[in-house]
Every structure is written in structure tokens, then in C-alpha cells.
Amino acid sequence: MKAPGASNGAPAGVAEGPAPSAPGGVRKSVTGTRRFVAVGFLLPALVLLGALVVYPIGYSVYRSFFDKSGSSFAGLDNYVEIFTDDTILTAVKNNAIWVVFAPAVATALGLIFAVLTERVRWGTAFKLIVFMPMAISMLAAGIIFRLVYEQDPERGVANAVWVGVHDTFAESAGFPTAHPLPVHPLEAAGGGAFITKEPVHAGTAVQLPLVGVAPAKMPGDAKPAKAPATGSDRITGTAWLDFTRGGGGKPNAIDATELGLKGIKVEAVKDGKVVATATAAADGTFSLPAVADGARLRLPESNFREPYNGVDWLGPSLVTPAIIGSYVWMWAGFAMVLIAAGLAAVPRELLEAARVDGANEWQVFRKVTVPLLAPVLAVVLVTLMINVLKIFDLVFIIAPGSAQDDANVLALQLYRSSFGTDAHLGVGSAIAVLLLLLVIPVMLFNVRRMRRETRR
């Protein structure tokens, strides 16, 4: 018999409570709550993302179809201008050069540094030095390299080194700005040389006065000029700076304070042929053999050519490679650190096994190390490719105004088209859309590569 008030299957004396909720209902309620909490946390980030990313992208696309004032629909005219305007086409070409060379060179240098520094005791210190430029802003790096590439060798480090190497193997001119006055016995001989107006003869002192020599160009050991001793068996003369400090002095006359042009070359020319040569002493005197009798004396152009001032790094032809060099200086350290981290995870057993099998170091590097580092190299390369598509600071700061059109890139052209007195926001927006379209394939490649890595 059942106890009074008891339900079927319930123990006696225990009241029947409310039936529990279905398990499915409980799970649905908990899942809905979790989704609500997740949306609550994500909502501020989504609002910021929409305001700072989605809206500007959408408005840029919208604005790119309107004219300069933004009041009239222009269709695809702004996009047509991108591919027909010479300045913008130069920017597109330079961006292609940047994408091809800058990431490749930086990644290659990073790989070389990472591999080589593993084998030296002071590798950590070297990595620190190479990575240090990453701590410098693009603005500061641009200012540094604007000075490095300065044309004047006394200010620009690059040209100071280049000129030093050049002058080691090629003699520089001694008197680049020197020239005669109309009253002097010299006249132009073409090509920058000067020659006596009349033939010279033995037994007569020849005077070769010049002016226009800067004090800094005068030889430090030059002595006061003096008249030479004459002789019937030779041609003698004096080459000197016909200028008296503080004024005074007479032209074509050697005054007491005037210095000799030490080292200047003198040639005796007969019938268009050089028959004798001489070099002036510290006091400017020189002597030629009797064969020079009746010849005209010529000061060759080698005495007066402009000094070698190095390479025009920021000229139209080299400005883009020069700026890429500054970028590599900054980002090679970034590539080296990432590649070194990947290299530390490479199993050493594989490298040793390859060496045991008879592979030399180059074969180990090419056949084992590089393939194992391929995922890391891809990360570095893709990251730098995205980075160079947005390059702006270095080009804007390093390239001088005269060469900025030759160094132009899309990000810089975007700035130039969007701001200033002649701004065209339609073209600027079209360039922004073009940059977005160029970045998207690289980003998609990176996302797919990361997904493949996570599946392994």
C-alpha cells in the first residue's frame, strides 16, 4: 500500500517538489548569457574598429568617385588619373621597387646575421647593435640619413668615405678655381687649360701669375714667390698667386707677400705636342730643358678641374636606392631577431646528421637550415612587404625637394594629393583605395599561411 500523500516511486514522508527544468533549456539559457557577456565585452572594441577603420575605408571609397570639390560625381576619373599622371605613375613604379627589394634585402641580411652570430662569442652584443636602430623613430632615422647622404664630403659620412677612397687612387686637382686676369700673359686654351700668349725663349724668366685660389686650397708649405735664376740652356719661370692680402701690389709683378703655386704642372707645347713638362717648387719656380725653347707654356686642365665631391646620393637616379638603404639599416635588426628565434628552435640533430653525411657548411645552410626556417622567413618577408607599402616618413624627410618627385611613393603621393593648397581629395582617396587593394592580397596570404601553420 502507498503512504498517504506520496507519489509513485517517492519515499514515504517526502513531499513531491517541482519537476526540474529540461537539460536542454538550461544549456540554452547559459549559452545565451555567455553570448550576451561576450558581445558586451566586444562592443567597445567593435565601435572603435568601426569608427577608426570601417568608416574611413567606406568614406574613402565613396569620396574617390567624386571630383576635387566633392560636389559632383566623377565616376572612375580619379582612378584613370592615377594611371595616367606621370608623377603618380612614378610613385607606383617606386612602390614596386620597394616591395621587391627592401623586404628581400632586409630579410637576407637578417638571415646572414642570425646564422653567423650563432658561431661567435660576442654574437649577443652584435645582435644588440644591429637591432638598436629599431628603437629610433622613422623621423629621427630620416634626419640621420639626410646628413649621411649630404653632398659635401665634410658633412656627409657616405661621401666622406667615398671621396677618401677615390682620392687614395686618383690625384685631386690642386687649384680648381684659379684663373688668369686679362692683363696676365696667359689665355684660355680650351678644356679648362691656360697657355701663354707668346712663345717663350731660353734666358728669359717666364711669369705665370694666377688669381682666384681660395686660401684653403693653397698648399700649407707654400713659400713666398721669387724670380727664378735664368740660364741660356733652359727655360725658367715662376707660377704664383698674383694677389696681395689687404690690397696693394702690382699685377704681373712678384710682391713680397705673394705665394708660389707649389705643385702646379707646366707643359711646353710645340705644334700641338708636349715636348717637356715641369712641376713648380714651393716658391713657384720651375725649369724646363732647352728643347722647350720657342714653345708656348701651358697649364693643363688637370690643375684646375673641380675636386671630386663624391656621389650624388640624393640625385634623381640614386635617391630611391639610398632611401631603401636607410630602411634596411632600420629593419635588418627586426628580421635578424625573428629569424634568430626561429633558428634557436631548429633541431641540432638534423644539422649534425647532415654534417656526418658529408655536407659542407654551405650545403647545410642551403639544404637544411633555410628550408627549416622557411615559415619564419615567410613571416618576416610578408610583414616587411606590408610595411613598405605604407612607407612615407623616410621618403618625405630624406629626399630633397628637387628629387622628391623621383623618390615619390604612393603613401607620400596620398599626402601630397590630400593636403596643401592644390589638394584633390578625390585623387587622394583613390590612391588610398589603391593602397588598400595592394595590401589585401598580402594580408590574405599571411592569414592563409597562419591557418596552415595552426593545422599542423
Side-chain angles (χ1 to χ4, degrees):
M1 294 182 65
K2 297 179 181 179
S7 60
N8 291 336
V14 178
E16 183 178 7
S21 302
V26 174
R27 289 173 185 164
K28 185 174 181 181
S29 176
V30 172
T31 303
T33 302
R34 289 176 177 173
R35 286 178 179 172
F36 179 78
V37 172
V39 170
F41 277 106
L42 289 174
L43 188 59
L46 291 175
V47 171
L48 286 175
L49 188 66
L52 300 178
V53 178
V54 178
Y55 172 74
I57 291 175
Y59 183 75
S60 295
V61 174
Y62 167 80
R63 184 65 179 83
S64 68
F65 293 106
F66 284 81
D67 63 0
K68 183 176 181 178
S69 64
S71 58
S72 301
F73 184 75
L76 297 176
D77 291 350
N78 294 325
Y79 292 94
V80 171
E81 184 172 346
I82 291 178
F83 296 101
T84 55
D85 184 88
D86 291 338
T87 302
I88 303 178
L89 282 176
T90 300
V92 174
K93 180 193 73 174
N94 286 339
N95 257 103
I97 294 173
W98 273 89
V99 170
V100 171
F101 290 102
V105 174
T107 304
L109 283 178
L111 175 62
I112 293 171
F113 291 155
V115 172
L116 294 182
T117 51
E118 268 204 336
R119 300 174 174 271
V120 294
R121 186 177 302 174
W122 40 269
T124 302
F126 180 81
K127 289 178 182 178
L128 178 64
I129 294 172
V130 175
F131 187 75
M132 199 176 295
M134 282 294 298
I136 303 174
S137 68
M138 287 280 197
L139 173 64
I143 295 172
I144 290 170
F145 275 88
R146 181 65 182 268
L147 295 175
V148 168
Y149 292 133
E150 184 75 35
Q151 181 67 40
D152 186 357
E154 295 183 359
R155 297 180 60 189
V157 176
N159 269 338
V161 175
W162 197 265
V163 170
V165 173
H166 174 273
D167 288 350
T168 301
F169 300 98
E171 187 178 358
S172 59
F175 310 99
T177 57
H179 60 277
L181 292 175
V183 296
H184 286 161
L186 291 165
E187 62 183 6
F194 300 102
I195 195 167
T196 55
K197 298 175 182 178
E198 302 293 337
V200 298
H201 299 282
T204 303
V206 182
Q207 295 181 337
L208 302 178
L210 294 172
V211 295
V213 180
K217 292 295 182 181
M218 284 297 294
D221 55 349
K223 297 179 181 180
K226 68 177 183 179
T230 59
S232 59
D233 58 342
R234 64 185 186 277
I235 304 293
T236 58
T238 304
W240 82 98
L241 178 61
D242 193 13
F243 173 78
T244 302
R245 288 188 179 183
K250 297 180 180 179
N252 292 326
I254 300 174
D255 297 305
T257 59
E258 295 175 347
L259 299 176
L261 297 176
K262 179 186 176 182
I264 197 167
K265 293 182 174 65
V266 182
E267 297 176 343
V269 181
K270 280 185 179 181
D271 300 324
K273 295 181 180 179
V274 176
V275 295
T277 60
T279 301
D283 57 6
T285 58
F286 61 88
S287 177
L288 292 163
V291 70
D293 187 58
R296 296 173 71 185
L297 301 190
R298 181 174 64 187
L299 302 178
E301 64 275 7
S302 59
N303 292 312
F304 311 108
R305 65 171 178 266
E306 289 295 325
Y308 182 68
N309 288 319
V311 178
D312 188 8
W313 298 105
L314 299 182
S317 58
L318 290 178
V319 62
T320 295
I323 300 174
I324 290 176
S326 66
Y327 177 88
V328 170
W329 176 78
M330 289 191 67
W331 287 87
F334 167 81
M336 178 196 66
V337 170
L338 291 188
I339 295 170
L343 191 61
V346 172
R348 303 297 159 180
E349 297 82 3
L350 296 177
L351 304 180
E352 293 301 326
R355 294 187 181 101
V356 170
D357 287 343
N360 56 37
E361 291 301 321
W362 169 246
Q363 290 172 327
V364 171
F365 173 76
R366 188 165 57 92
K367 298 291 187 179
V368 181
T369 304
V370 172
L372 291 175
L373 288 175
V376 179
L377 296 176
V379 170
V380 174
L381 196 62
V382 171
T383 302
L384 294 181
M385 287 176 67
I386 295 173
N387 186 268
V388 298
L389 282 171
K390 304 178 294 180
I391 196 69
F392 165 80
D393 317 59
L394 289 177
V395 180
F396 183 70
I397 297 167
I398 295 177
S402 59
Q404 204 163 85
D405 284 345
D406 300 287
N408 200 13
V409 290
L410 284 174
L412 177 59
Q413 185 60 40
L414 168 60
Y415 169 80
R416 295 168 68 180
S417 297
S418 302
F419 301 97
T421 56
D422 196 30
H424 192 316
L425 292 180
V427 174
S429 299
I431 295 173
V433 174
L434 176 62
L435 271 175
L436 176 65
L437 294 176
L438 292 175
V439 170
I440 286 176
V442 183
M443 294 179 63
L444 290 177
F445 171 80
N446 205 25
V447 170
R448 290 179 180 176
R449 186 200 55 76
M450 293 175 66
R451 286 180 177 174
R452 288 197 299 268
E453 290 296 321
T454 54
R455 289 173 188 164
R456 294 180 180 178

